[in-house]
């Protein structure tokens, strides 16, 4: 008897004939072989999980216009995946607004989002969802600070001309 597809958030029966088959999507931005192995090992460690979709991009996390990410969102909309596993949440987006949109798109369609690098970042629980939002807010603050630092450095260079601040 083939495995039955079921809701990944429902309690699973441990009887082998009724074990649920959880369809997993893997997403990587700037994938590496080590990260791919880590994600596959993580999925293999979860009872009833199997990889239904692998998707990746070589693109900035500052945009949602990435073909691999769009494939993941399309799979969620069509009900082809139950869980999305990423190594780090910033693989989905480095912008809080974008990440909130992606998480909303996925969770509103019943797709659970899990970080393999930090399993506490799991949208299945209220605590995990809270941590996801805090981590993304901190990432945006860090990004905003880095942009401001670069802007200030350029402004300082323009005002001081070519003169080095260490020149005598």
């Amino acid at each position: 008897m083939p495995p039955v597809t079921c809701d990944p958030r429902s309690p699973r029966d441990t009887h082998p004939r009724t074990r649920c088959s959880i369809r997993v999507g893997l997403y990587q931005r700037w994938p590496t072989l080590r990260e791919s192995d880590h994600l596959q090992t993580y999925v293999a460690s979860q009872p009833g999980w199997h990889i239904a979709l692998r998707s990746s991009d070589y693109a900035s996390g500052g945009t949602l216009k990435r073909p691999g990410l769009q494939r993941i969102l399309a799979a969620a909309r069509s009900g082809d995946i139950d869980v999305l596993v990423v190594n780090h949440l910033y693989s989905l987006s480095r912008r809080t607004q974008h990440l909130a949109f992606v998480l909303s798109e996925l969770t509103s369609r019943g797709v659970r989002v899990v970080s393999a690098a930090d399993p506490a970042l799991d949208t299945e629980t209220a605590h995990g969802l809270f941590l996801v939002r805090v981590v993304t807010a901190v990432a945006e603050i860090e990004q905003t600070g880095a942009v401001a630092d670069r802007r200030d450095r350029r402004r300082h260079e323009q005002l001081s001309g070519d003169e080095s601040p260490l020149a005598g």
Side-chain angles (χ1 to χ4, degrees):
M1 182 172 163
V4 179
T5 302
C6 62
D7 183 350
R9 291 171 295 233
S10 65
R12 292 185 250 324
D13 190 341
T14 56
H15 190 276
R17 289 188 174 206
T18 59
R19 175 178 273 168
C20 297
S21 178
I22 307 300
R23 300 162 301 166
V24 177
L26 297 181
Y27 179 73
Q28 296 174 268
R29 189 172 51 82
W30 298 100
T32 64
L33 184 57
R34 183 177 177 192
E35 180 185 14
S36 296
D37 290 345
H38 177 69
L39 293 176
Q40 289 178 57
T41 301
Y42 180 79
V43 171
S45 73
Q46 304 300 311
W49 287 21
H50 73 277
I51 299 170
L53 174 66
R54 296 171 197 265
S55 192
S56 61
D57 287 304
Y58 290 94
S60 168
T63 180
L64 295 178
K65 294 179 181 177
R66 292 176 269 151
L69 179 61
Q70 293 305 315
R71 274 193 298 281
I72 290 293
L73 292 173
R77 290 179 189 120
S78 64
D80 293 336
I81 59 173
D82 302 309
V83 177
L84 175 63
V85 177
V86 295
N87 202 38
H88 297 281
L89 286 177
Y90 59 75
S91 297
L92 295 173
S93 181
R94 288 198 178 266
R95 296 188 178 178
T96 304
Q97 213 172 16
H98 290 172
L99 185 59
F101 168 78
V102 170
L103 289 173
S104 175
E105 275 291 300
L106 294 167
T107 57
S108 70
R109 285 159 171 57
V111 176
R112 174 181 172 190
V113 182
V114 179
S115 166
D118 188 356
L121 300 175
D122 181 344
T123 62
E124 182 177 42
T125 66
H127 178 73
L129 191 55
F130 171 75
L131 288 175
V132 165
R133 298 234 165 97
V134 167
V135 166
T136 57
V138 169
E140 184 166 315
I141 289 168
E142 289 175 351
Q143 175 66 22
T144 302
V147 168
D149 289 347
R150 286 192 298 269
R151 185 182 56 238
D152 291 345
R153 193 172 326 129
R154 279 194 304 267
R155 188 176 299 136
H156 175 73
E157 289 169 357
Q158 288 172 349
L159 292 174
S160 63
D162 292 331
E163 186 179 315
S164 168
L166 299 177

